[in-house]
Amino acid sequence: MFNHWSYLALQQYWWFLIAVLAAAFVFMTFVQGGQTLLYKLGKNEAERDLLVNSLGRKWELGFTSLVMFGGALFAAFPLFYSVSFGGAYYVWMAILFCFIIQAVAYEYRKKPDNIFGTRTYETFLFINGSLGIILIGTALGTLFTGGHFVVDEMHLSHWTLPSYGLEAALVPFNVAFGFMLFFLARLQAALYFIDNIEEEGITARARKVLKYETWIFLILFAYVLYSLLTMSGYGYDPATGIVHREPLKYWHNLQAMPAVAIAVASGALLVLWGIGLDLFAKGRRGIWFSGIGTVLVVVGLFALMGYNDTAFYPSLSDPQSSLTIQNASGSRYTLMSMAYVSLMVPIVLGYIAYVWRAMDRKSLSLQEVENDPHHY
């Protein structure tokens, strides 16, 4: 099967898989968004226990999506992994720390004889849901705006600024991308709680979050999309590999790939439909429309970033060091061998769907959490 594919086809296939896994992770960030809403939606300890236990059933699924995304990225495009994680390591170490304390918080929040107190671990959850997601969004923004790195003929890379990636926080587009992801996660969390929790007080407060924070998200999304479609990008000649700066590169990509334009537009509409369904029609299934929409938009953004002869990680120090799906990938044999392993991805996603369905056969209630001696 895959042995008849061209090298470029395998590279494009793996970029698409990574886009799907990234989209699955972004959808699952409603867990992080919910962690920042504990004190906004939960007015007492019992309600916060209910919220944490609702999220606690899903946080490992989100972590699984993140691990699959990182593993696929490392295996298929090792040069990107070494450049980004080896160069901008301050940012990635901060992100790693945020996800370590999340696991610690779910494990120890309600342990007997907890000397640090419940509030300490709830603070850990808030840090993971706020700083962790904003940092990830800022890092993703640099895939469009670029980083300060150089790659030599031996594929060895080094960062050219002593800030090692922290300078990304000085670029408005990157910061806006991070906060857009943060507010999307909060909106998705509100939709998730409406669907998952049987408690009118929490549901009413979740609808209030939708009512006010949707506008913040829309402003950020409009700014990011406008900036993206008007900024310059980096294209390359697929025959020679020579990189050149191209004004309106991502707008040209959108015109060249109408399917991507349809995916982004329909995805954005589905997100709005999901929010409107729960906010105005008092529905309880908006999370699914919004979730599908989120997946479509993220896959579309990754397509704009990596297809149509585009450098998906521009170098601001040396444009010829910019990374593309052709120069950053593993060998043809590696991609072909892993392509057969990738056939397991639907099985893993199916397992996630099965576990989700098994845990959500009925909405979670205060009484159920109070009667569970092993709750989070």
Side-chain angles (χ1 to χ4, degrees), residues 34 49 185 233 241 294 297 322 367:
D49 285 346
T294 297
V297 171
S322 300
Q367 184 178 7

Coordinates of all heavy atoms in Angstrom, one line a residue, residues 34 49 185 233 241 294 297 322 367:
G34 N -11.9 24.3 31.7 CA -12.8 24.1 32.9 C -12.0 24.3 34.2 O -12.6 24.7 35.2
D49 N -16.0 20.2 43.7 CA -15.8 18.8 43.6 C -16.5 18.2 42.4 O -15.9 17.3 41.7 CB -16.2 18.0 44.8 CG -15.3 18.3 46.0 OD1 -14.2 18.8 45.8 OD2 -15.8 18.0 47.2
A185 N -10.9 27.5 24.9 CA -10.9 26.4 25.9 C -12.0 26.6 27.0 O -12.7 25.7 27.4 CB -9.5 26.2 26.5
G233 N 4.5 35.4 4.3 CA 5.0 34.1 4.8 C 6.2 33.7 3.9 O 6.7 34.5 3.2
G241 N 14.5 23.8 -3.3 CA 14.4 24.0 -1.8 C 14.7 25.4 -1.4 O 14.7 25.7 -0.2
T294 N -14.1 23.1 15.8 CA -12.8 23.3 16.3 C -11.8 22.4 15.5 O -10.7 22.9 15.1 CB -12.6 23.1 17.8 OG1 -13.5 24.0 18.5 CG2 -11.2 23.2 18.3
V297 N -11.3 23.7 11.9 CA -10.5 25.0 11.9 C -9.0 24.7 12.1 O -8.2 25.2 11.3 CB -11.0 26.0 12.9 CG1 -10.0 27.2 13.0 CG2 -12.4 26.5 12.5
S322 N 14.7 27.8 7.1 CA 13.3 27.6 7.4 C 12.9 26.1 7.2 O 13.4 25.5 6.3 CB 12.4 28.5 6.6 OG 12.7 29.9 6.8
Q367 N -24.9 14.3 44.1 CA -25.1 13.1 44.9 C -24.1 12.0 44.5 O -23.6 11.3 45.3 CB -26.5 12.6 44.8 CG -26.8 11.4 45.7 CD -28.3 11.0 45.6 OE1 -29.0 11.5 44.8 NE2 -28.7 10.1 46.5

